Amino acid sequence: MKRACFLFLAICLQLSTYSQEYLYEDFSGTQFPPYGWNTAPIGFHWVKSDSNHAGGLAPEACLVGFEQTGTTRFFSPQINMPGEDTVILTFKNDAVINDTTGLKIGVATRSQSTWEPVWEIELFHNYGPSDVDILITNQHVGQPYFQFCFYVTGELSSIDYWYIDDVHLYYPENVDCKMQQILTPGHILGPVPTIGLIRNLGITTINEVSVSFETYCGVVHDTLLSGLNLDLFEYYVFAFDRKWVSPPGNNGLKMWINNIDGGPDGDQANDTLIKIIEFGYGE
């Protein structure tokens, strides 16, 4: 199952220790737009695409550019989040343009009111594939009928496609560190550094993380990353003191998080990654 970076605010939050998922959409259902979603202006320019350009798994949502100057929106169902003052919206995306006319893509929110942008970039070149993370703390959060939308504004024929996938709206864990990526190359010709990237997705600042990797023959190597001071959405690239070596062929490099600041991770579902490493003299 698919899992639907920008830090807009650096603020000190006093929040509870549990997480709450309010919406997850990977566009794999038969209906499009999905139930409760809609587009404006109404038309056939937002479609389901049997592709994975945004970086998730097929299918995905896609805006197909068309001849019009203005704004087009793809917006979520209404969501009630009583008592909340903070939520995080994450999604994968890939924008392909054909003209550098200052076209803008963005995300906005509302609660039976005017749309208010919470993330926006001007496109002077292709953008993505990339993950976008938005901390939303405006007056719409916690109000009845909260909605968010993806929008494109400007000369809409200047964009070829905007692919969107793995849309996730949630209240964050207090403690959550994600094994974001294995950076060791996928094709090697000899021993290479064993490198990974972790990311703080929780409210609490992270100072220490224990991580491990397993060799192709089952030996586990550990390392302790300390002095990190990672706030929400911040990354840290690390390397083990043992290099990755493997025999010819394809072998899986497994890397995972053991604990955070000496305690368990609030969301252990994102703690482990496996990457296939090919050893050989091909292309």
Side-chain angles (χ1 to χ4, degrees):
M1 188 71 175
K2 298 184 293 180
R3 280 291 183 196
C5 189
F6 294 86
L7 177 57
F8 279 78
L9 299 173
I11 58 178
C12 182
L13 302 172
Q14 292 183 345
L15 302 174
S16 57
T17 58
Y18 65 94
S19 67
Q20 173 69 51
E21 181 173 84
Y22 288 106
L23 181 145
Y24 177 74
E25 183 58 63
D26 63 4
F27 308 107
S28 60
T30 57
Q31 178 178 334
F32 192 89
Y35 180 79
W37 290 73
N38 216 326
T39 63
I42 303 298
F44 301 99
H45 309 294
W46 292 92
V47 300
K48 180 167 73 172
S49 174
D50 190 21
S51 57
N52 61 349
H53 297 289
L57 299 176
E60 58 193 349
C62 177
L63 169 71
V64 181
F66 58 101
E67 291 289 342
Q68 182 174 312
T69 300
T71 301
T72 180
R73 300 182 188 273
F74 178 43
F75 49 92
S76 75
Q78 294 178 336
I79 304 165
N80 290 325
M81 301 180 291
E84 300 289 24
D85 58 7
T86 300
V87 287
I88 292 175
L89 176 67
T90 70
F91 61 95
K92 299 178 183 297
N93 85 124
D94 185 27
V96 181
I97 65 172
N98 57 60
D99 190 6
T100 56
T101 57
L103 190 76
K104 294 179 180 179
I105 60 174
V107 172
T109 65
R110 71 178 180 184
S111 53
Q112 291 188 314
S113 57
T114 303
W115 290 108
E116 177 183 336
V118 293
W119 174 80
E120 184 180 85
I121 61 171
E122 194 165 357
L123 294 179
F124 295 105
H125 48 74
N126 293 343
Y127 177 77
S130 64
D131 294 346
V132 176
D133 306 290
I134 307 168
L135 182 66
I136 305 174
T137 61
N138 62 20
Q139 72 275 15
H140 301 145
V141 179
Q143 297 300 312
Y145 312 113
F146 172 90
Q147 287 180 289
F148 63 89
C149 75
F150 301 98
Y151 67 86
V152 181
T153 187
E155 178 48 63
L156 301 179
S157 63
S158 296
I159 191 167
D160 287 331
Y161 307 102
W162 187 21
Y163 300 98
I164 298 169
D165 205 359
D166 294 344
V167 181
H168 190 193
L169 182 74
Y170 66 98
Y171 179 91
E173 294 276 1
N174 186 30
V175 178
D176 183 12
C177 188
K178 178 181 181 180
M179 183 64 72
Q180 181 78 21
Q181 192 174 359
I182 296 175
L183 299 177
T184 300
H187 184 268
I188 62 175
L189 300 177
V192 292
T194 310
I195 309 172
L197 184 149
I198 58 172
R199 185 176 181 215
N200 186 5
L201 296 182
I203 295 301
T204 302
T205 299
I206 294 175
N207 293 300
E208 186 176 272
V209 179
S210 170
V211 294
S212 301
F213 85 93
E214 183 178 2
T215 69
Y216 77 95
C217 56
V219 178
V220 174
H221 296 286
D222 308 312
T223 195
L224 185 65
L225 313 174
S226 58
L228 301 178
N229 195 32
L230 292 180
D231 289 326
L232 180 65
F233 296 155
E234 290 187 334
Y235 295 86
Y236 183 76
V237 176
F238 63 92
F240 291 89
D241 58 5
R242 298 294 185 98
K243 290 188 175 183
W244 172 262
V245 293
S246 59
N250 295 330
N251 294 276
L253 167 53
K254 181 180 179 181
M255 196 176 292
W256 67 91
I257 293 170
N258 298 303
N259 59 68
I260 303 168
D261 290 323
D265 193 348
D267 182 5
Q268 299 180 10
N270 58 18
D271 285 354
T272 303
L273 287 177
I274 298 176
K275 181 176 181 179
I276 300 301
I277 310 296
E278 179 187 9
F279 181 96
Y281 293 92
E283 295 181 356

